[in-house]
Amino acid sequence: MRKMIEKYAVKLLRDRSAAPGRVGFAAQDDRMVEGGAPDLSRLAADVLSRLSCLGMVAAAPSLPFPELLVRRSPAGSSALVPLDTETRTFLHDIPFLRRGELGADPAGKIAALLSNRKGAIAEGIGIFGAGTVTLEQAYIHYSSVHHAAYVKYLMDVLQDGFLLPEEEEAFQAFREEHLTAPSAEGLHFRPGPLEEPGEILAEIAAIGRYTVERGLVDSCFGNISYRAGGTIYISQTAAALDELAGCVDPVPDDNRSTAGITASSELPAHRRIYEATGARAILHGHPKFAVAMSMLCGEEGCPVKDCWKDCPRVRMLGDTPVVAGEIGAGGLAASVRRVIGASGKAVVYGHGVFTVGREGFEEAFRAMAGVEAMCREEYFRRLDARRRAGPGQSKSE
Amino acid sequence: MLVVDLTSGRMRRVEIPPELLSAYLGGRGLGVRMLRGPHRLSPFDPAMPLIFATGPLCGTPAPTSARLSVVSRSPLTGTAYDCSAGGRFAFRLRAAGLFAIRIEGKSARPVALAVTSAGEEILPADALWGKTVGQAVRALSGRGSVAAIGPAGENGVLFSNIMMGEGNAVGRGGLGAVMGAKNLKAVVLDGDLPTPIADRERFDRARADVMRLFRASPVIFGELGISEYGTPALVDLMHQRRMAPTSNFRRTVFDGSGAYSGPAIRAAYGAEKEGCFGCPIRCKKRASDGRPLPEYETVSHFGALNDISDLHAIVRSNDACNDFGMDTISAAATLSAWGESRGRFPSPDEVVPLLADIAFRRGEGDLLAQGSRRMAEALGRPELSMSVKSLELPAYDPRGAYGMALAYCTSNRGGCHLRAYPVSHEILRKPIASDRFSFSGKARMIKIAEDVNAAVDSLVACKFAFFGASLEEYAELLAGVTGERHVPQGLKEIGERICLTERFYNAENGFIRADDDLPARFFREPGSEGDGIEVPPIDRARFGEELTKYYRIRGLSDDGSFPDPAFLDKQP
């Protein structure tokens, strides 16, 4: 347990989702084990002791977005409802407690929220992630809440502007100090085509790590594959992209073996993309600006309500098509297949980016970094235009 | 609830106290609660109840919830026993206006119980006694959905099943023999009463959430998942992980397993999709001639465990077990232990005749009908029974998954994979992967999973649903049906009450820590290493340490006993 706590403490700081020194863990074996910041780990343990769960992460996020979202929420509301795929599919919503609601027994209040949800936000404290099975699961739920809040805040600010006095300054600091340019500079890629399984597995592990390190995906989301010799080598479901050694399934094209039942839920999408493009490498990440921008639609009077699955249009973010479709067997595979051939990249509404490499991963990686850079640039262009236009300009372009 | 006394022939419909439904939900939980009192009786005592209990979701479009639990005391294990089963029977039970049926007593002559929404009657079944399950189902199917026993149940085979007419089984613990001891050949149900849903909008939203998660799960709706290939989709995976029990668990890899993999079965039999009532997953597979095709456990145990790679022979074995009304896992494992004792596993052609001998208790079949533990003891080779609490272990070698090793032992109904189902995270990576070769944290994981699954068995939903969804969504479905607030934590607490109640019954029937143990083979002999995977024997000291942790987490004494002898009196 202690090793796990140390491991995920490092990951939360490395992915810059938690503030240094403000991470607490608790895990229940036959005894409670705590680690990290004493006040947070004690609180995490207190919450955990009231739940039938194994692990708990309590951390202050590195960015104030979750807290600002709580404060921006209308009086009487008790949950954030982000529209990105992760939240919609796995979290449903993110319950929160305002500072004044924590009362004399904050652990009891937080435990009550987590009795029904995987993650929650407590104003003035941070994000709580619960793991029923493992501590890693608690870390993933923390990451999911962090990701959802990040994307929602980007969208809300673009649509509604700054509502609180300190927001503009905080956002400026985020823009100037927190963000780093998505790029492939300084990374080493094996030139394709790759044929040897050992070489393919090593390259997949390296690219997965790069994708996390460059902020194109949070550790446990996204997937990656390479096709050679009638076999798709694809990351397993629920695999951390920065820990892919031993977590890649070889899946034969002809389904003569079902050992790949543990492959990523996006195996159908990878298969359809290979069929459509003849590419050898596929990268799928959840870069936050691309996810946010994919959900901004200027269509007036559109009758479609569940845009993420029902929108029939192909919109464009620069030269990258945006399509709808739910994950796994939910239709994403068919919609991406339809559009990815032209540019080798596609964005799925509220979900993430698929890119391909004709020979190796470098092309796919550079394409994904390029999509995110373009979306970021476009986001700030629209935000700056909105601010110049002043209050009342609420609709994105 | 319909209460039936077969001794007197009296039947009455009674209200189930609402507080019991709140405290135990339905299904397994309700059945276990109703077992309080008679739990010390012999399984074949006429006063021992046989309880068919649906859950609160049954009869609604809640995915995978057209199920019930059958509860009694197992003649094979001596433990409190329940088994969840799908098909159409449970749905018809609700449509007949009932939540549960409690059957007691013993009829003087063979009978069948027929229930509709208009009433119930006891039918003479002398003409059906001795008939196979298929024959009995065909004779009664005009009256509705049938659950019947075959010759194995009539003849007291300790691992005899109650079979649903659609091919689903109330399996493993020998409840077919409990039914047979009551001279009850079949129960047939029909009706058309709807199940009300209090908050339709909430229910529909939760249902959409569940379906989205099913579609996101590679195990459920993936191109290599169980909807496509049925549970035999696991054959290749267990082979690759080197944990397919082979030759009575002497090895963990069987080179011939490709003959009965999911793709091989599809190629040979067509494997059309078939499902329980209203189930979107439809993991059951049916041959083009209508025969139900075998599940993973069945192909692996009639295959690798007996060194057989003849798919057609395996399918015939499955057919025979279904028709005689016998559990495939226990039957195949008992044959395997017997095969090791005599130095030769049965040949493909010998299996079906042996199964017939077991069902009719002829020749050596009479000994085999008692299951592997009693058989091996009678032969003076008790170490050859690969069972826990007399229940034969299924097709996940515990040396390849340490949570599974622990869960086989803590399971209240004996060596069962489904109580905690750690295969979900140790092998299938759902909801998250855990280290299969580590005991770290497993005691807590197993305890939580047992509680969750006890709640799932009481709702009653299919465990396969939880390869995608979680109690979060099913709590919402329940809230939609009842109009009351339900949260996962509350359901887990109900599950905990159920698990502890079962364990208390077992303790009162003499089960102690020594019964929570694996066969010695797993601590002494390695599995089959290769492909960079080592499969060492399980470290007994570490296993014992984790078992003690499990007891502490459960609030038990280190010897597994209850520190509070009045535990049961404090339960609702």
Side-chain angles (χ1 to χ4, degrees):
Chain A
M1 290 290 188
R2 294 235 169 257
K3 281 184 189 167
M4 288 291 112
I5 288 175
E6 287 165 19
K7 172 181 173 177
Y8 291 106
V10 169
K11 286 189 95 162
L12 282 169
L13 295 180
R14 195 191 297 148
D15 67 16
R16 301 198 305 154
S17 63
R22 299 303 299 147
V23 179
F25 291 93
Q28 302 187 81
D29 199 359
D30 57 335
R31 286 171 301 174
M32 188 71 77
V33 182
E34 298 174 25
D39 59 330
L40 287 169
S41 60
R42 207 168 304 128
L43 181 57
D46 200 358
V47 174
L48 188 58
S49 67
R50 303 168 196 231
L51 295 170
S52 186
C53 282
L54 186 140
M56 180 75 53
V57 176
S62 56
L63 295 166
F65 297 168
E67 181 131 348
L68 292 172
L69 284 169
V70 170
R71 293 174 56 201
R72 288 165 64 105
S73 297
S77 61
S78 58
L80 305 177
V81 188
L83 296 176
D84 67 285
T85 296
E86 296 305 320
T87 306
R88 210 174 47 244
T89 305
F90 299 106
L91 300 180
H92 308 307
D93 60 30
I94 303 169
F96 62 75
L97 287 165
R98 297 177 201 271
R99 202 182 298 264
E101 295 171 326
L102 290 167
D105 179 24
K109 295 280 179 60
I110 295 163
L113 298 187
L114 294 173
S115 71
N116 195 36
R117 286 290 182 256
K118 301 176 184 78
I121 299 169
E123 186 185 358
I125 302 174
I127 296 173
F128 289 75
T132 304
V133 180
T134 63
L135 197 62
E136 182 185 21
Q137 197 182 18
Y139 160 76
I140 290 172
H141 292 152
Y142 176 94
S143 289
S144 296
V145 171
H146 180 266
H147 177 89
Y150 193 129
V151 170
K152 179 172 171 55
Y153 188 71
L154 292 181
M155 292 182 67
D156 287 3
V157 164
L158 194 55
Q159 289 180 315
D160 304 325
F162 298 120
L163 306 180
L164 304 168
E166 70 276 31
E167 273 187 292
E168 187 159 6
E169 189 181 338
F171 197 81
Q172 200 61 26
F174 155 70
R175 184 171 177 177
E176 292 172 0
E177 297 162 22
H178 184 87
L179 287 176
T180 54
S183 86
E185 299 319 307
L187 301 178
H188 170 73
F189 299 90
R190 286 178 170 84
L194 308 174
E195 301 292 349
E196 290 301 315
E199 194 180 25
I200 292 168
L201 296 179
E203 182 68 349
I204 286 176
I207 302 304
R209 210 168 46 246
Y210 294 166
T211 313
V212 175
E213 286 169 2
R214 295 296 164 105
L216 297 173
V217 72
D218 293 318
S219 170
C220 287
F221 309 129
N223 36 75
I224 181 168
S225 76
Y226 196 86
R227 184 168 180 270
T231 296
I232 296 174
Y233 298 83
I234 184 166
S235 53
Q236 292 180 331
T237 184
L241 280 198
D242 50 352
E243 296 178 70
L244 283 180
C247 293
V248 175
D249 278 337
V251 181
D253 290 345
D254 61 5
N255 287 351
R256 65 182 176 276
S257 164
T258 52
I261 190 173
T262 51
S264 163
S265 58
E266 299 302 0
L267 172 65
H270 286 242
R271 282 181 154 174
R272 301 298 92 75
I273 293 169
Y274 284 124
E275 289 163 10
T277 63
R280 288 174 178 270
I282 296 175
L283 196 52
H284 171 51
H286 299 175
K288 296 180 181 71
F289 281 87
V291 174
M293 292 300 293
S294 73
M295 291 190 282
L296 294 169
C297 173
E299 185 80 4
E300 300 284 352
C302 178
V304 176
K305 286 183 182 169
D306 295 340
C307 313
W308 57 85
K309 64 185 178 72
D310 292 337
C311 178
R313 296 176 57 211
V314 178
R315 295 182 291 121
M316 298 301 290
L317 279 171
D319 64 345
T320 307
V322 181
V323 292
E326 292 197 305
I327 58 180
L332 172 164
S335 55
V336 170
R337 179 200 169 120
R338 234 175 36 235
V339 299
I340 200 166
S343 62
K345 42 194 185 175
V347 182
V348 179
Y349 184 105
H351 178 46
V353 180
F354 285 90
T355 56
V356 306
R358 281 164 292 190
E359 301 293 338
F361 279 107
E362 181 167 6
E363 183 184 7
F365 193 95
R366 288 189 184 281
M368 182 165 294
V371 170
E372 177 64 351
M374 182 275 296
C375 287
R376 187 182 294 189
E377 190 180 326
E378 176 63 12
Y379 176 87
F380 286 120
R381 188 191 68 74
R382 292 192 195 188
L383 184 68
D384 292 341
R386 184 188 193 287
R387 289 161 73 187
R388 280 195 299 275
Q393 175 75 33
S394 63
K395 190 79 183 174
S396 58
E397 293 170 32
Chain B
M1 175 170 67
L2 176 66
V3 179
V4 179
D5 179 355
L6 289 172
T7 306
S8 65
R10 278 197 298 271
M11 293 185 280
R12 59 198 165 97
R13 293 195 179 207
V14 301
E15 289 296 318
I16 301 170
E19 60 271 21
L20 283 193
L21 292 177
S22 295
Y24 295 94
L25 294 174
R28 173 178 164 189
L30 182 65
V32 166
R33 173 62 184 83
M34 287 198 284
L35 209 56
R36 188 189 297 181
H39 66 271
R40 286 174 160 168
L41 296 175
S42 156
F44 295 141
D45 188 309
M48 172 59 70
L50 180 66
I51 300 154
F52 294 76
T54 66
L57 301 179
C58 186
T60 75
T64 79
S65 298
R67 302 182 71 81
L68 53 60
S69 287
V70 184
V71 184
S72 191
R73 187 175 174 202
S74 164
L76 180 69
T77 65
T79 63
Y81 209 87
D82 74 281
C83 184
S84 165
R88 280 155 182 73
F89 188 83
F91 179 83
R92 292 291 171 215
L93 181 56
R94 288 305 294 276
L98 292 168
F99 197 84
I101 302 176
R102 175 184 175 124
I103 301 169
E104 298 167 353
K106 176 179 181 177
S107 171
R109 303 185 60 82
V111 291
L113 173 64
V115 182
T116 70
S117 48
E120 44 276 345
E121 60 182 320
I122 294 174
L123 309 170
D126 304 79
L128 295 178
W129 207 252
K131 302 292 188 193
T132 66
V133 169
Q135 289 166 334
V137 168
R138 281 191 290 279
L140 292 168
S141 58
R143 285 178 169 269
S145 184
V146 182
I149 59 170
E154 297 170 11
N155 295 320
V157 174
L158 295 186
F159 46 88
S160 54
N161 289 350
I162 302 167
M163 300 296 297
M164 305 300 180
E166 300 82 24
N168 302 70
V170 175
R172 309 281 0 245
L175 298 194
V178 174
M179 190 157 147
K182 296 181 179 306
N183 266 335
L184 180 62
K185 178 69 180 179
V187 179
V188 55
L189 303 169
D190 203 5
D192 52 10
L193 298 175
T195 300
I197 294 173
D199 185 341
R200 190 75 207 203
E201 190 180 332
R202 188 173 192 174
F203 178 88
D204 287 345
R205 197 166 52 241
R207 190 178 189 283
D209 286 341
V210 169
M211 290 305 300
R212 188 177 300 117
L213 287 160
F214 282 6
R215 287 191 289 269
S217 168
V219 181
I220 295 176
F221 278 137
E223 294 185 353
L224 306 173
I226 58 173
S227 181
E228 286 299 318
Y229 291 97
T231 53
L234 297 176
V235 170
D236 292 324
L237 186 66
M238 291 301 124
H239 178 80
Q240 190 192 62
R241 300 293 195 267
R242 306 187 81 80
M243 57 179 288
T246 303
S247 309
N248 200 31
F249 289 86
R250 286 190 302 194
R251 292 180 289 122
T252 58
V253 168
F254 183 55
D255 290 337
S257 67
Y260 51 77
S261 69
I265 294 174
R266 175 183 279 188
Y269 288 94
E272 293 166 16
K273 286 187 184 182
E274 174 81 8
C276 300
F277 187 86
C279 178
I281 301 173
R282 303 175 78 209
C283 69
K284 303 283 177 200
K285 299 292 167 268
R286 198 171 279 278
S288 47
D289 62 6
R291 279 184 296 170
L293 290 166
E295 302 275 357
Y296 164 67
E297 311 291 342
T298 306
V299 293
S300 189
H301 268 12
F302 277 118
L305 204 67
N306 282 286
D307 281 358
I308 290 172
S309 57
D310 180 338
L311 173 59
H312 301 301
I314 292 169
V315 171
R316 286 196 300 274
S317 302
N318 184 59
D319 293 343
C321 282
N322 286 347
D323 243 12
F324 296 139
M326 288 195 299
D327 184 68
T328 55
I329 299 173
S330 285
T334 301
L335 285 176
S336 181
W338 179 67
E340 184 174 356
S341 75
R342 64 186 189 137
R344 184 177 75 81
F345 294 107
S347 71
D349 291 337
E350 288 173 326
V351 173
V352 171
L354 281 165
L355 293 172
D357 288 345
I358 292 171
F360 292 98
R361 304 196 70 152
R362 299 182 301 229
E364 289 181 293
D366 189 46
L367 180 61
L368 294 166
Q370 298 180 48
S372 68
R373 199 263 297 167
R374 292 172 177 82
M375 181 273 301
E377 284 177 359
L379 295 176
R381 303 287 306 278
E383 74 281 5
L384 297 185
S385 171
M386 297 295 115
S387 61
V388 174
K389 297 185 187 74
S390 306
L391 189 68
E392 288 75 18
L393 298 181
Y396 310 94
D397 195 287
R399 287 163 294 198
Y402 292 176
M404 191 74 263
L406 187 65
Y408 281 148
C409 300
T410 60
S411 158
N412 288 328
R413 70 173 197 172
C416 169
H417 58 299
L418 292 168
R419 298 281 100 167
Y421 216 3
V423 168
S424 182
H425 50 87
E426 291 190 312
I427 302 299
L428 292 168
R429 308 179 63 84
K430 289 296 170 193
I432 187 76
S434 69
D435 182 350
R436 67 187 175 114
F437 288 116
S438 167
F439 275 113
S440 178
K442 293 291 168 69
R444 175 73 63 173
M445 291 180 209
I446 295 307
K447 185 270 180 191
I448 293 172
E450 285 175 343
D451 294 347
V452 167
N453 285 335
V456 169
D457 286 337
S458 305
L459 281 171
V460 180
C462 175
K463 294 195 182 66
F464 293 166
F466 295 81
F467 289 139
S470 70
L471 275 187
E472 253 179 88
E473 296 77 31
Y474 273 81
E476 272 299 291
L477 284 169
L478 182 60
V481 171
T482 62
E484 298 161 1
R485 185 169 188 266
H486 290 279
V487 298
Q489 177 66 21
L491 295 179
K492 288 181 202 171
E493 287 164 8
I494 291 173
E496 180 175 40
R497 177 181 302 129
I498 295 164
C499 290
L500 284 171
T501 300
E502 291 168 344
R503 187 169 178 96
F504 194 88
Y505 292 168
N506 290 347
E508 289 212 320
N509 282 318
F511 285 89
I512 57 173
R513 177 173 176 140
D515 296 300
D516 295 344
D517 202 9
L518 287 168
R521 169 164 286 167
F522 300 115
F523 299 111
R524 293 179 185 155
E525 301 172 22
S528 309
E529 66 176 15
D531 297 335
I533 301 173
E534 286 184 36
V535 190
I538 296 169
D539 180 335
R540 180 174 267 293
R542 188 66 190 86
F543 171 84
E545 196 180 304
E546 204 64 17
L547 184 61
T548 302
K549 284 186 182 181
Y550 170 87
Y551 293 149
R552 290 175 184 166
I553 292 165
R554 274 258 176 250
L556 304 170
S557 305
D558 282 5
D559 64 357
S561 66
F562 280 74
D564 180 4
F567 164 81
L568 205 56
D569 300 333
K570 296 172 182 168
Q571 303 309 307

